[in-house]
Every structure is written in C-alpha cells, then in structure tokens.
Amino acid sequence: TIGRKKYAEVNEVMEDLSARFEELARQLIIDVDRDSDAYNRVFAAFKLPKETEEEKNIRSEAIQKETKYAAEVPMEVARIVHSILPMIDVVARKGNSNAVTDACVAMMCARINLTSIKDEKFVKEMSEEADMIEQTTIAEEQKILDYVKTVF
C-alpha cells in the first residue's frame, strides 16, 4: 500500500500503522524468548527435589509460581494482538486489496492453558480476560470477513 499511487490518500495512515506494527513485532519477538524462558522456569521447578515434605512444599510452590508466570506471557501476547485489531481493520478496509487476506490472518490469534494452576482466583481472572479477548477478537474477525466478502 505504502508508496503506491492507487493508495496515495491513505499513505500517511499506512506509514503510521506500519511503524506501530514494527514496534509491536519487536515486542512479540521478545515475548518468544520470554515464553521460552517461562517454559524453562517451569521445567526447572519440576526438577526440584521432592524427597522430604519440606522439599515437596517448596517444589509445589515453585511449580505454581512459575506456571503462573508462564501463563502471563501468552496472555500479554493476546493483549497485544487484541490491541491491534482496530489497526488491522484499517489495513483491511483501506490497504492494498491484494493483501486483505493477510489482514484476515492477522486477526486469528490468542489461546492459553491454565489447567495446571491451582490458584482459583488467578485462573478465574485469566480465563475471564482470555474469554473476553477471544470473544471480541472473533467479533472483529467476523466484521473483517464480512467486509472482505462484499469486496471480493
């Protein structure tokens, strides 16, 4: 879209969005490493000794703490993805029509696994937020797909 005569009237908007997408992409790349680190932390907690009752308690607490951290990383990714939905909508509606399917693919994201966390309040809060993100993402995705059907 950027730099094409056909889309000159939206060039400035697309340049702004492009810069914002690049910034978010950098954050998501960092989150890949954070997610890997989170997995390693959970794995290390499972390797803690469990011979005595005290060791079992320490291990269990560590597993819970690190599993919560591991759930936070994908939730933060879901939040980022959710925050870009309005930008994706603009790209799909005003951007290069040859790339509209890329915008649709960008809409599809966000799932996390909370099944092994025992802290019910934490699980409830994370689940409710994930459900909200999922519902609004699906609604936004449907709007884009409905638009695409009218254009193509």
Side-chain angles (χ1 to χ4, degrees):
T1 304
I2 296 172
R4 309 230 19 198
K5 282 190 227 178
K6 181 178 177 181
Y7 302 99
E9 72 278 357
V10 295
N11 196 70
E12 190 175 320
V13 170
M14 293 299 160
E15 284 179 344
D16 178 58
L17 289 174
S18 178
R20 291 166 68 190
F21 285 133
E22 285 180 26
E23 181 181 323
L24 291 168
R26 281 190 291 276
Q27 178 59 49
L28 291 170
I29 289 168
I30 291 168
D31 288 337
V32 169
D33 291 334
R34 287 181 60 231
D35 192 49
S36 179
D37 177 59
Y39 170 81
N40 291 335
R41 288 168 59 165
V42 171
F43 191 72
F46 272 101
K47 287 179 145 186
L48 290 173
K50 55 183 175 180
E51 299 301 316
T52 68
E53 208 53 45
E54 182 181 1
E55 287 176 341
K56 288 178 186 178
N57 289 336
I58 290 170
R59 179 179 178 269
S60 180
E61 287 177 24
I63 290 169
Q64 289 301 301
K65 175 184 171 208
E66 300 306 343
T67 304
K68 282 182 183 180
Y69 176 76
E72 283 286 347
V73 176
M75 181 60 84
E76 289 173 22
V77 169
R79 289 177 189 131
I80 290 171
V81 172
H82 184 256
S83 76
I84 67 173
L85 296 178
M87 294 184 283
I88 294 170
D89 184 68
V90 172
V91 172
R93 291 176 189 274
K94 297 181 179 183
N96 188 324
S97 59
N98 294 324
V100 74
T101 54
D102 295 336
C104 290
V105 170
M107 284 286 194
M108 303 171 189
C109 213
R111 300 266 191 276
I112 61 172
N113 183 354
L114 300 169
T115 58
S116 60
I117 299 173
K118 295 177 185 173
D119 182 336
E120 292 178 17
K121 182 178 184 247
F122 179 86
V123 171
K124 183 177 187 289
E125 289 171 358
M126 293 287 279
S127 294
E128 287 173 355
E129 183 176 5
D131 289 346
M132 182 278 302
I133 288 172
E134 180 180 22
Q135 289 167 7
T136 57
T137 300
I138 290 169
E140 288 297 318
E141 177 185 85
Q142 192 57 55
K143 281 195 252 181
I144 294 294
L145 294 173
D146 291 345
Y147 169 74
V148 170
K149 288 175 188 175
T150 66
V151 175
F152 294 97

